[in-house]
Amino acid sequence: MNPPAARRLISSGSPFEADIGYSRAVVQGDWVFVSGTTGFDYATMTIADDVAAQAEQCLRNITAALEQAGASLRDVVRVTYVLPDASQFERCWPVLRRHFGEIRPAAMMISAGLADPRMRIEIEVTALKPAA
């Protein structure tokens, strides 16, 4: 029996991770689990007001975590979108189509409150790293 693959934690440097007690992503074997990620620019800790701009920043943040884990958006097999206002989801579609249009991961959209009223969208992904 093979021992389980080492668990590796990925951090974005966001103060939320230490304050709350979570990782931006966790790598377990060939799997990468990226936490719900918002549109904050972690370098400046600012967030745009527009939902589409936030979706774009979410995906930049997710891309950075995936790259640290040895994966990319092309490896995403599952995505979950959370928006406080479901009517705003369609405004994100052009951004999402640009990043996921050819990949077409399994997806779900949930309408629920987020931790900060400035947050218009949160995105969580699961990726399967490519075979070596």
Side-chain angles (χ1 to χ4, degrees), residues 7 31 67 72 74 96 98-99 101 132:
R7 179 179 165 144
W31 290 98
E67 286 174 354
S72 73
R74 295 205 60 80
L96 304 178
R98 188 169 60 255
H99 292 279

Side-chain angles (χ1 to χ4, degrees), residues 115-132:
D116 183 320
R118 297 173 292 172
M119 297 172 182
R120 308 273 189 259
I121 186 170
E122 187 167 349
I123 302 174
E124 170 191 72
V125 304
T126 301
L128 180 60
K129 294 188 334 182

Side-chain angles (χ1 to χ4, degrees), residues 8-13 17 24-25 27 32 34 42 60-72 129:
R8 187 162 57 102
L9 307 179
I10 305 289
S11 176
S12 67
E17 295 167 24
R24 173 61 40 222
V27 181
V32 183
V34 181
Y42 298 127
R60 280 194 293 271
N61 295 340
I62 288 168
T63 296
L66 288 170
E67 286 174 354
Q68 288 181 60
S72 73
K129 294 188 334 182

Side-chain angles (χ1 to χ4, degrees), residues 24-46:
R24 173 61 40 222
V26 174
V27 181
Q28 184 73 48
D30 292 333
W31 290 98
V32 183
F33 304 92
V34 181
S35 293
T37 304
T38 63
F40 274 95
D41 178 334
Y42 298 127
T44 62
M45 288 312 293
T46 59

Side-chain angles (χ1 to χ4, degrees), residues 52-122:
Q54 285 192 25
E56 188 69 53
Q57 184 64 50
C58 288
L59 292 170
R60 280 194 293 271
N61 295 340
I62 288 168
T63 296
L66 288 170
E67 286 174 354
Q68 288 181 60
S72 73
L73 284 179
R74 295 205 60 80
D75 303 314
V76 171
V77 296
R78 178 94 175 131
V79 60
T80 303
Y81 306 102
V82 181
L83 290 89
D85 182 353
S87 71
Q88 296 294 301
F89 189 47
E90 190 170 352
R91 296 187 59 224
C92 300
W93 291 359
V95 172
L96 304 178
R97 188 169 43 250
R98 188 169 60 255
H99 292 279
F100 291 127
E102 292 181 22
I103 303 160
R104 298 185 60 188
M108 179 179 198
M109 192 285 281
I110 300 168
S111 181
L114 297 175
D116 183 320
R118 297 173 292 172
M119 297 172 182
R120 308 273 189 259
I121 186 170
E122 187 167 349

